[in-house]
Amino acid sequence: MKKDLLGLKDLSAENIKHILDTADAMKLILKQPNKKTPHLQGKTVVNLFYENSTRTRLSFELAAKYMSANAANITAGGSSVQKGETLTDTARTINAMGTDILVMRHSMSGAPHLIAPLVSASVINAGDGMDEHPTQALLDMLTIREKKGHIDGLKVAIVGDIYHSRVVRSNIYGLTKLGAEISVGGPATLIPQGMEKMGVKVFKSVHEAIVDADVVMGLRIQLERQKSGLFPTLREYYRFFGIDEKRLKFAKPDALVMHPGPVNRGVEFSSGVIDGAQSVINEQVTSGVAVRMAVMSILSDGGFEE
Ligand code: CP
């Protein structure tokens, strides 16, 4: 059994479907006036975040509390990391306090893979550098399956900063395993070489990527990770690659509009598209709590089948 969730690259389609089915049941709990369940009673969940977060950190914390766990948060800024403690020493320290689940976000790709074999706690990757963000892709898949009834055969277009995105990598692994067809689009400078080898179609223009799409997923332009000018200005990005109501018409009329957040309004999407009838961005956030409840419940019950 696998005690950790480090990415979707090494998770089977059966494991992914098991998480989504469990998350469906968790959603029913979230609709109750009393959201308390005993799934994680007596367990301790620690969120260790070396990068900023609103959605992921809060939804893991709420998910843990809804399932009756003891939940605590540490951020790099307020911890002994500031005194020079290494990541492995910090993780071992947290583990020694009786932690059952360690949720980690780090700017370095592979950080949770380094820690997982060193601790008895289950490690969940909450985003590592430009590598993976598995629970984000799982909540995206849960939202798509809920809205469309299935994932197999859907055309999913992912547009924006493909190069820096851990969300796109996890979504490509997960969605292709469940039978979706994926197109990616964006400026050539923000699409890595050899992307086609991941089983996706690559387009340098947005309208080609989103034509007839069932799902249009925008990715945040990650200003904090741009080392040199990969595109001239945000205004120019929006002009050529931003999706407004007019450009969205290239997709199917009932296409879902999705974004992992945080959104740069007027960059990836117009405000009209973000707040429009096709947008399921807020539903994605709700799915995030259910998916994180499902993942922690499965890991606490022994982990994923190899
Ligand atoms: N989607 C996502 O990871 O958002 P946060 O950075 O707010 O957690």
Side-chain angles (χ1 to χ4, degrees):
M1 300 289 271
K2 283 193 180 112
K3 77 170 177 70
D4 310 297
L5 176 64
L6 303 178
L8 299 192
K9 187 178 182 184
D10 300 319
L11 215 58
S12 67
E14 288 65 36
N15 280 325
I16 293 171
K17 283 181 198 156
H18 178 44
I19 297 169
L20 300 186
D21 293 344
T22 310
D24 278 339
M26 294 302 181
K27 269 219 167 158
L28 298 178
I29 294 168
L30 290 176
K31 288 188 179 133
Q32 303 299 317
N34 179 358
K35 301 183 184 70
K36 233 15 174 201
T37 80
H39 288 85
L40 294 185
Q41 201 154 36
K43 303 286 182 189
T44 299
V45 177
V46 176
N47 283 326
L48 173 61
F49 275 57
Y50 285 76
E51 277 190 343
N52 294 341
S53 169
T54 298
R55 279 148 283 269
T56 312
R57 202 181 86 184
L58 183 58
S59 62
F60 268 112
E61 184 178 350
L62 290 176
K65 287 179 171 165
Y66 291 154
M67 293 193 295
S68 308
N70 307 304
N73 293 302
I74 303 187
T75 54
S79 74
S80 291
V81 169
Q82 295 302 319
K83 301 176 191 164
E85 188 170 58
T86 65
L87 171 63
T88 52
D89 285 341
T90 300
R92 282 189 174 115
T93 301
I94 295 168
N95 193 59
M97 292 187 199
T99 300
D100 299 288
I101 298 177
L102 177 58
V103 181
M104 269 188 67
R105 172 170 286 190
H106 203 282
S107 58
M108 297 300 291
S109 300
H113 303 73
L114 172 74
I115 296 306
L118 305 179
V119 296
S120 56
S122 288
V123 174
I124 301 177
N125 181 1
D128 63 322
M130 289 156 50
D131 177 37
E132 283 218 47
H133 191 350
T135 56
Q136 176 67 48
L138 289 163
L139 75 87
D140 293 337
M141 286 187 270
L142 183 69
T143 309
I144 295 170
R145 196 174 78 162
E146 200 173 272
K147 294 285 173 189
K148 294 287 179 190
H150 63 102
I151 289 176
D152 187 36
L154 291 182
K155 184 177 170 197
V156 180
I158 309 179
V159 178
D161 184 351
I162 308 292
Y163 184 83
H164 296 98
S165 178
R166 51 200 177 205
V167 174
V168 77
R169 271 167 266 283
S170 286
N171 261 306
I172 290 172
Y173 294 131
L175 285 165
T176 53
K177 280 175 191 180
L178 296 200
E181 184 191 308
I182 300 182
S183 306
V184 298
T189 48
L190 291 181
I191 299 181
Q193 292 277 324
M195 198 80 198
E196 295 85 352
K197 289 191 193 120
M198 293 185 81
V200 303
K201 291 183 186 152
V202 177
F203 296 97
K204 306 274 161 46
S205 80
V206 168
H207 81 267
E208 282 178 298
I210 71 174
V211 79
D212 286 335
D214 298 287
V215 177
V216 177
M217 189 184 294
L219 294 177
R220 189 169 66 89
I221 297 300
Q222 299 193 28
L223 299 168
E224 74 277 22
R225 290 191 221 274
Q226 310 278 353
K227 290 198 177 62
S228 55
L230 295 172
F231 55 88
T233 61
L234 289 178
R235 187 190 289 208
E236 193 156 318
Y237 175 87
Y238 181 64
R239 188 165 155 228
F240 289 104
F241 299 98
I243 298 175
D244 57 11
E245 291 89 330
K246 198 169 150 208
R247 211 166 252 164
L248 185 60
K249 289 195 193 314
F250 285 106
K252 288 191 180 146
D254 61 348
L256 303 178
V257 169
M258 303 181 73
H259 194 296
V263 183
N264 297 307
R265 279 182 183 260
V267 179
E268 296 97 36
F269 289 134
S270 66
S271 274
V273 168
I274 293 167
D275 301 323
Q278 289 169 252
S279 170
V280 293
I281 294 172
N282 287 330
E283 282 92 332
Q284 287 175 265
V285 176
T286 308
S287 295
V289 182
V291 151
R292 285 155 184 147
M293 287 172 78
V295 167
M296 289 194 284
S297 157
I298 293 167
L299 290 177
S300 166
D301 276 350
F304 296 107
E305 301 267 356
E306 300 269 0

